[in-house]
Amino acid sequence: MVSFVRLAAACAAVLVIQFGDLRAQEQSLRPELRPNWDATTRAPAMPVLVAATASSVLRPQLRPLAVAEPAPPLVQKTAADAGFQRWIKAFRGRALAQGISGGTFDRAFRGVRYDPDVIKRDRNQSEFTKTIWEYLDSAASDTRVKNGKSALRKHRRKLEAIEAKYGVDKEVVVAVWGLESAYGSFKGSNDVVQSLATLAYDGRRGRFFEQQLIAALKILQNGDTSPRNMTGSWAGAMGHTQFIPTSYLAYAVDFTGDGKRDIWSDDPSDALASTAAYLARFGWVKGQPWGVEVKLPRGFNYALANRKTKKSPGQWAQLGVVGVNGQAVPNYGTASILLPAGGQGAAFMIFKNFGVIERYNTADAYVIGVGHLSDRIKGGPEIKARWPRGDRALTFSERKEMQRRLTAQGFSTQGVDGKIGPKTIEAVRAFQRSEGLAPDGYASLSLLKKLR
């Protein structure tokens, strides 16, 4: 769901995957720019398309939990609530100065209260660390694949029409839908205006959330939905494919032609078309895979496994990098090699469409999850390579410790932030070379122990 702009940077990661930073950047209109929640780690079971089976929302990045909750209890006029009401009065002037009518504002804020639970969620997004294989076990589970095929059959005609209009493979659109809201079964029930207003008033990321709140008011003023029907996650991600308000304004489409861009209704047409429009906007190449699982030759130069090194499949084949069938990968265009778990796990040859999905969510795990799920929905096989399942992901404190120790030993990570990004990976590779290890850049627990 997508472009849906920057909530990622806006919220601390709920789920951190060891091999990469899951937070989106605030510089671009992307769907991942909002906090995220991984239902597999702490959510109650949700209804799905297959009876008696749970298929949860699965986003590695920064989006908050969007779970249905009981009606809020009556709130006494606490100091926070009184301050919140004063903030609303001041914000009204700022909103009207940006083109929001008084009527729209007053309707949107009727009954809105300070929601301490939103602040609690924002403050307590615990770090649930997962390995790539644990994430993919859920992202492309048998249940999620089965439900995806069922959703594709049920909505085939509209999905084919969307594919024809936007040139984005229908299985990819369905896979995004599956990871964002479990195919529409879990869209979130928080009042978006109330949640965004609470977060904007809180001030920790006030400027960002006020921007989202203005965008939400513009959506209401345009008549796309009503205030209390505008529901979503506690941090404002909305609808079947979880757009945040600024992304919605930039990329949502009215596919049904009823004059509204309705991403909330039981009919997912507008939401699915909006997702396709978003991916198309960022350069989706029809018929090109996101990536292909490959086999690396013995003695492969791991320094070549980075996003900046691009070669044609034929050139990679000359270096011994071939598909799992032992044949050269078809010429889908230039590609890079990605090793999400280092040399001990699966290897992928990734193409331009990997980067397009990445605009939706910057986490490698999410992109691989969407891509692999879409392949499975098409009838493709499971990932062939074995993962190093004996490993566990590093905790946040351990990642920071690794960065400190690498830097202290002369392999600077250019900062200690707990994110295993390109600079840390290069530092890991330099240390591995100094120790005579395969320089695959994999930040493992065994590597940390060696640094100690």
Side-chain angles (χ1 to χ4, degrees):
M1 134 283 63
V2 300
S3 156
F4 309 110
V5 194
R6 356 180 162 217
L7 245 168
C11 299
V14 170
L15 168 65
V16 177
I17 291 185
Q18 175 183 353
F19 55 86
D21 175 27
L22 299 182
R23 282 174 291 188
Q25 295 142 37
E26 287 195 347
Q27 294 93 309
S28 62
L29 288 175
R30 316 203 297 214
E32 84 276 60
L33 303 177
R34 50 217 180 354
N36 189 27
W37 166 73
D38 178 1
T40 64
T41 59
R42 62 189 178 107
M46 297 176 290
V48 291
L49 299 179
V50 176
T53 313
S55 175
S56 59
V57 178
L58 196 65
R59 308 258 349 250
Q61 102 301 10
L62 325 164
R63 202 173 43 187
L65 170 65
V67 66
E69 299 181 2
L74 292 176
V75 179
Q76 295 180 350
K77 287 291 182 179
T78 63
D81 192 59
F84 180 61
Q85 296 304 320
R86 289 193 297 271
W87 179 89
I88 290 175
K89 291 180 181 178
F91 173 64
R92 189 178 190 277
R94 297 194 295 276
L96 268 57
Q98 295 187 58
I100 304 302
S101 71
T104 295
F105 187 96
D106 295 341
R107 285 189 295 274
F109 276 86
R110 186 171 297 129
V112 166
R113 64 175 182 85
Y114 176 78
D115 190 346
D117 186 61
V118 167
I119 302 304
K120 181 179 178 181
R121 292 182 187 279
D122 184 52
R123 292 288 190 272
N124 297 291
Q125 295 187 70
S126 300
E127 177 192 338
F128 289 93
T129 303
K130 280 195 170 192
T131 59
I132 175 64
W133 50 92
E134 290 171 330
Y135 178 77
L136 293 177
D137 285 347
S138 182
S141 67
D142 289 343
T143 294
R144 202 178 300 273
V145 172
K146 186 174 183 179
N147 287 349
K149 290 179 177 180
S150 177
L152 180 59
R153 286 193 301 271
K154 180 178 179 180
H155 301 284
R156 178 171 291 277
R157 290 184 64 182
K158 71 182 64 172
L159 284 163
E160 288 177 344
I162 289 169
E163 181 179 74
K165 182 169 183 177
Y166 296 104
V168 177
D169 304 69
K170 56 186 175 295
E171 294 85 358
V172 171
V173 174
V174 171
V176 172
W177 188 22
L179 265 62
E180 294 294 344
S181 69
Y183 308 108
S185 67
F186 192 65
K187 294 175 292 199
S189 62
N190 286 72
D191 184 306
V192 168
V193 171
Q194 178 166 287
S195 294
L196 291 176
T198 298
L199 290 164
Y201 164 70
D202 176 59
R204 193 157 72 95
R205 289 181 301 279
R207 183 176 180 182
F208 171 78
F209 284 111
E210 185 164 316
Q211 176 192 31
Q212 297 305 316
L213 184 52
I214 291 290
L217 293 172
K218 289 180 179 178
I219 294 168
L220 295 172
Q221 188 157 281
N222 292 341
D224 286 303
T225 189
S226 62
R228 304 292 79 86
N229 189 56
M230 183 184 277
T231 56
S233 75
W234 60 257
M238 310 177 298
H240 288 267
T241 50
Q242 297 290 277
F243 278 71
I244 64 170
T246 47
S247 295
Y248 174 100
L249 287 179
Y251 301 107
V253 299
D254 173 19
F255 189 75
T256 62
D258 65 354
K260 297 181 179 181
R261 297 179 291 176
D262 188 355
I263 64 173
W264 299 271
S265 74
D266 291 337
D267 179 357
S269 297
D270 284 356
L272 299 178
S274 296
T275 296
Y278 176 86
L279 296 174
R281 165 65 178 77
F282 286 101
W284 185 265
V285 180
K286 183 73 166 65
Q288 182 189 76
W290 64 275
V292 175
E293 187 182 1
V294 293
K295 295 190 298 184
L296 304 180
R298 187 182 301 275
F300 176 73
N301 179 5
Y302 288 108
L304 297 175
N306 66 78
R307 297 291 291 275
K308 294 181 180 179
T309 301
K310 298 181 183 295
K311 300 179 184 294
S312 70
Q315 291 172 321
W316 283 118
Q318 291 175 3
L319 296 174
V321 181
V322 295
V324 293
N325 60 1
Q327 303 298 312
V329 173
N331 187 15
Y332 297 116
T334 58
S336 301
I337 302 302
L338 177 67
L339 305 176
Q344 302 303 309
F348 301 96
M349 185 180 295
I350 58 173
F351 298 89
K352 180 181 178 181
N353 282 344
F354 185 99
V356 176
I357 299 173
E358 193 174 38
R359 297 303 296 264
Y360 213 96
N361 185 317
T362 57
D364 285 352
Y366 179 85
V367 180
I368 297 171
V370 167
H372 184 49
L373 178 58
S374 70
D375 290 344
R376 295 287 309 284
I377 290 172
K378 289 180 183 178
E382 296 183 22
I383 292 170
K384 301 295 186 184
R386 294 184 177 181
W387 298 102
R389 290 185 178 272
D391 290 359
R392 68 162 174 81
L394 295 177
T395 65
F396 180 69
S397 61
E398 287 172 336
R399 291 195 299 275
K400 292 178 71 175
E401 180 190 355
M402 176 174 284
Q403 291 173 323
R404 285 193 298 267
R405 290 183 180 275
L406 283 167
T407 299
Q409 295 188 35
F411 308 99
S412 177
T413 60
Q414 299 184 45
V416 176
D417 58 8
K419 307 172 192 176
I420 307 300
K423 294 175 182 177
T424 299
I425 290 172
E426 285 308 309
V428 168
R429 281 179 167 157
F431 173 74
Q432 289 171 324
R433 291 189 193 99
S434 73
E435 295 290 317
L437 305 172
D440 60 6
Y442 182 41
S444 65
L445 180 60
S446 61
L447 189 82
L448 177 59
K449 289 178 179 179
K450 185 172 287 290
L451 281 164
R452 290 169 175 167

